[in-house]
Amino acid sequence: MLEKLEALDIQLFVFLNGLGSETFDGLWLFITKQVNWTPLFLLLLYIIYKKVGAKQTLFLLLFVAALIAFTDQTTNLVKNTFQRLRPCNNTDINTIIRVVQSRNSFSFFSGHAANSMAVASFLFLVLRKKFQYFGLLFLWPLIFAYSRIYLGLHYPIDILTGYFCGFTFGFLTYKGYQILQKKYFPITN
């Protein structure tokens, strides 16, 4: 069963990765760098600050920082436990795929997918009632994580597992946030 799933994962990866072209490589290299998302993060920070004020924004940022630290460390632990080779390092396929970027670390599961989904899920759950179209925030993890397939760094299962773990961690952090927020920083409407 696992072998069949892995074979399907590789086939889907080869297909998705093969959709790329040199014309768009620069765009996807730009998209995959976390620092290039800074304008989005600053915009979110500004919007959140304007909507909930300084104290609530700082409180949220503490939870986001803890969430990212936890998600990132969990991702590294899982990667080092499973030690799945990245597609770019897999000698069975790296000659037939587009390798736009290489990394020597392991593949399972994607930290880009986990971290971005964790933060998006947490912020969405906290702020969904305050912003009409806040669900559009989920475009960030979708685009950000797809860049990893495009570049030859992650298989689809790496991405989907990252999404699942990220959402789970974001949801659990939201539950903790709710408890502490009601106790120490109740929001007034």
Side-chain angles (χ1 to χ4, degrees):
M1 178 71 173
L2 281 177
E3 290 174 3
K4 188 171 184 172
L5 184 60
E6 185 177 15
L8 288 171
D9 190 33
I10 290 170
Q11 286 176 353
L12 182 57
F13 167 80
V14 170
F15 171 75
L16 292 172
N17 174 263
L19 295 175
S21 74
E22 286 184 32
T23 306
F24 297 105
D25 289 354
L27 172 68
W28 289 102
L29 284 165
F30 180 84
I31 286 171
T32 205
K33 290 183 183 170
Q34 295 166 347
V35 71
N36 293 332
W37 290 88
T38 302
L40 173 67
F41 304 148
L42 292 175
L43 177 64
L44 277 172
L45 183 63
Y46 175 76
I47 291 170
I48 292 167
Y49 167 76
K50 288 306 252 181
K51 201 69 164 176
V52 300
K55 284 184 182 180
Q56 287 295 328
T57 301
L58 288 174
F59 190 58
L60 271 172
L61 287 177
L62 283 171
F63 275 83
V64 168
L67 176 59
I68 290 171
F70 179 78
T71 304
D72 202 51
Q73 292 307 305
T74 302
T75 301
N76 289 331
L77 177 68
V78 172
K79 280 183 179 183
N80 289 321
T81 300
F82 283 90
Q83 298 186 355
R84 183 181 194 193
L85 290 178
R86 291 181 182 270
C88 60
N89 298 325
N90 182 343
T91 56
D92 293 338
I93 63 168
N94 68 359
T95 57
I96 62 167
I97 63 170
R98 299 185 73 254
V99 177
V100 182
Q101 193 175 63
S102 292
R103 293 278 185 275
N104 290 324
S105 57
F106 297 112
S107 181
F108 183 79
F109 54 87
S110 168
H112 279 70
N115 285 324
S116 59
M117 185 58 81
V119 172
S121 299
F122 172 71
L123 290 177
F124 174 77
L125 291 168
V126 171
L127 300 166
R128 67 185 181 262
K129 293 178 183 170
K130 296 196 175 290
F131 299 100
Q132 185 175 3
Y133 300 107
F134 208 59
L136 292 173
L137 181 62
F138 287 103
L139 289 174
W140 165 48
L142 291 174
I143 295 167
F144 193 43
Y146 176 75
S147 72
R148 310 308 282 171
I149 293 173
Y150 182 98
L151 298 174
L153 298 170
H154 282 292
Y155 298 98
I157 285 183
D158 301 338
I159 302 298
L160 293 175
T161 304
Y163 282 158
F164 175 76
C165 290
F167 179 81
T168 301
F169 298 156
F171 178 78
L172 293 173
T173 301
Y174 166 69
K175 288 301 185 182
Y177 170 84
Q178 279 186 310
I179 293 166
L180 294 175
Q181 188 264 336
K182 285 177 186 172
K183 185 173 182 177
Y184 296 108
F185 295 100
I187 294 177
T188 56
N189 291 327

